[in-house]
Amino acid sequence: MLLTIDVGNTHTVLGLFEGEEIVEHWRIATDARRTADELAIVLQGLMAQFGGPRLKINGIAVCSTVPSVLHEMRQMLRRYYADIPAVVVEPGVKTGVPVLTDNPKEVGTDRIINALAAAHLFGGPAIVVDFGTATTFDAVSEKGEYLGGAIAPGIEISVDALGARGAQLRKVELVRPRSIIGRNTVEALQAGILYGFAGQVDGVVEKMAVELSDDPDLVTVIATGGLAPLVVDEATTIDVHEPWLTLIGLRLVFERNVQV
């Protein structure tokens, strides 16, 4: 089995693949204070629930947007999994995705991995909307090239800021309210958050699709990320929800860099 690990600023998502099928997955908090030994304990505990000592890992693929966690991940791989082929996505690793930005090294590895998976699954042109700590919009050309994108504050960041700066406002549960016209403060906040972000997604996607293709209707829009389920049914421009897009991309990168 292949273990894939996507380290984000807020959450770390792990997935186990058997061939092309993801057979188990976990989401844990990203903690920059965890050491390599602690990471190994958490990882082994999760996998023990799935397969116990019979579970055979024959490959590991990792990408991270948090440098301190990536350092400890490398240490963990060297100490606990030295006999298993591992790919850490970084400059020099073959992704098959030409990055056509002003400075390709600035682009987060997760965004390149998402572009790879989007092109593989759906072809181009495509737009990936990733609902994480930030909401990112990534444009993929018809040829599978990464062209660039847009970055907006994420849903949870915005909710936290609103609760911190609004004297009579507070954090609320991120769920769909009864109506867009909130009858109380909680519902008013929920309506503004849900429909406001859905409108933001539609606005950015529509403008990006016009630049991406002569026929915007040919652009496939893929939603991913932990908060995607909150918005995906309200944003009219989203075509597909693929929660494991980054993990699929990690599987593809592993296959490109390790003889399987």
Side-chain angles (χ1 to χ4, degrees), residues 188-206:
L189 285 166
Q190 291 169 334
I193 292 163
L194 174 59
Y195 299 110
F197 273 94
Q200 178 193 68
V201 168
D202 288 338
V204 174
V205 165
E206 286 170 1

Side-chain angles (χ1 to χ4, degrees), residues 6-7 62-65 89-91 95 106-115 246 250:
D6 170 28
V7 182
V62 180
C63 74
S64 174
T65 58
V89 182
E90 58 189 345
T95 64
E106 288 182 345
V107 182
T109 54
D110 57 331
R111 302 177 75 182
I112 298 172
I113 295 301
N114 283 346
T246 312
L250 283 170

Side-chain angles (χ1 to χ4, degrees), residues 42 46 51 59 67 83 89 122 133 157 197 212 217 229 255-257:
V42 171
L46 292 171
D83 58 335
V89 182
F122 308 105
T133 304
I157 287 178
F197 273 94
L212 192 54
D217 291 338
E255 292 171 355
R256 281 166 166 74
N257 288 269

